[in-house]
Amino acid sequence: MLWIKAFHIIAVITWFAGIFYLPRLFVYHAMAEDEVSRERFKVMERKLYRGIMVPSMLVVIALGLWLISFNMEYYLVSTHWMHAKLTLVALLIGYHHYCGHLVKVFRDDRNTRSHVWFRWFNEVPVLLLIAIVILVVVRPF
């Protein structure tokens, strides 16, 4: 079980690295003024999303479900912190998929949002990460 937990944590770190970096690429992409830069950002965004973020998310979900399966009654019936954590993870998965939507928006040259909007958008996963880590470590309820 400890090996599964270790690889789950590694996958979470990898997934969050992408979740933190992709919106930063959106900031720079929204600021780009020349075609060469915009095309470069399209490639970087696509590769980051498809090559790192999606596989990492899938591994996080698979290993997380595997960990829960070891003691399903405890995690899904007795622990309210786990319910809260899974709710936040669901929001994070939604954020992830919205990032995928934005990759397509930029790919198709349809972005209408400013770099400032993307700077704020980039802060959402930080808040989710803080809350998730507190729930897992402190288990406040």
Side-chain angles (χ1 to χ4, degrees):
M1 184 165 116
L2 291 178
W3 282 101
I4 298 166
K5 188 182 287 188
F7 284 111
H8 177 69
I9 292 168
I10 291 166
V12 167
I13 292 167
T14 305
W15 186 28
F16 265 97
I19 283 178
F20 288 151
Y21 189 51
L22 185 60
R24 179 55 49 183
L25 289 176
F26 294 155
V27 169
Y28 300 140
H29 195 157
M31 294 171 56
E33 296 180 1
D34 61 288
E35 187 63 26
V36 172
S37 294
R38 285 191 293 270
E39 291 303 316
R40 183 178 307 120
F41 284 120
K42 289 177 187 180
V43 170
M44 292 170 69
E45 291 158 358
R46 179 182 49 81
K47 287 183 176 186
L48 177 60
Y49 185 76
R50 289 186 187 168
I52 296 173
M53 289 174 62
V54 170
S56 297
M57 179 191 68
L58 294 174
V59 171
V60 166
I61 293 168
L63 295 178
L65 290 173
W66 195 1
L67 286 167
I68 288 172
S69 76
F70 286 114
N71 198 348
M72 195 172 302
E73 184 178 340
Y74 170 73
Y75 285 120
L76 297 182
V77 176
S78 304
T79 58
H80 298 297
W81 66 266
M82 180 59 82
H83 298 148
K85 176 199 169 194
L86 293 175
T87 300
L88 295 176
V89 170
L91 290 172
L92 190 62
I93 291 168
Y95 181 91
H96 170 100
H97 287 292
Y98 188 67
C99 283
H101 166 73
L102 291 172
V103 168
K104 293 175 186 173
V105 166
F106 275 108
R107 177 197 66 200
D108 298 338
D109 297 318
R110 293 183 292 118
N111 177 52
T112 58
R113 300 191 187 273
S114 73
H115 67 92
V116 174
W117 187 89
F118 287 107
R119 288 178 195 277
W120 284 104
F121 179 73
N122 195 32
E123 299 306 319
V124 172
V126 174
L127 300 174
L128 290 171
L129 176 64
I130 290 168
I132 290 168
V133 169
I134 289 171
L135 286 168
V136 170
V137 174
V138 178
R139 298 180 183 187
F141 45 86

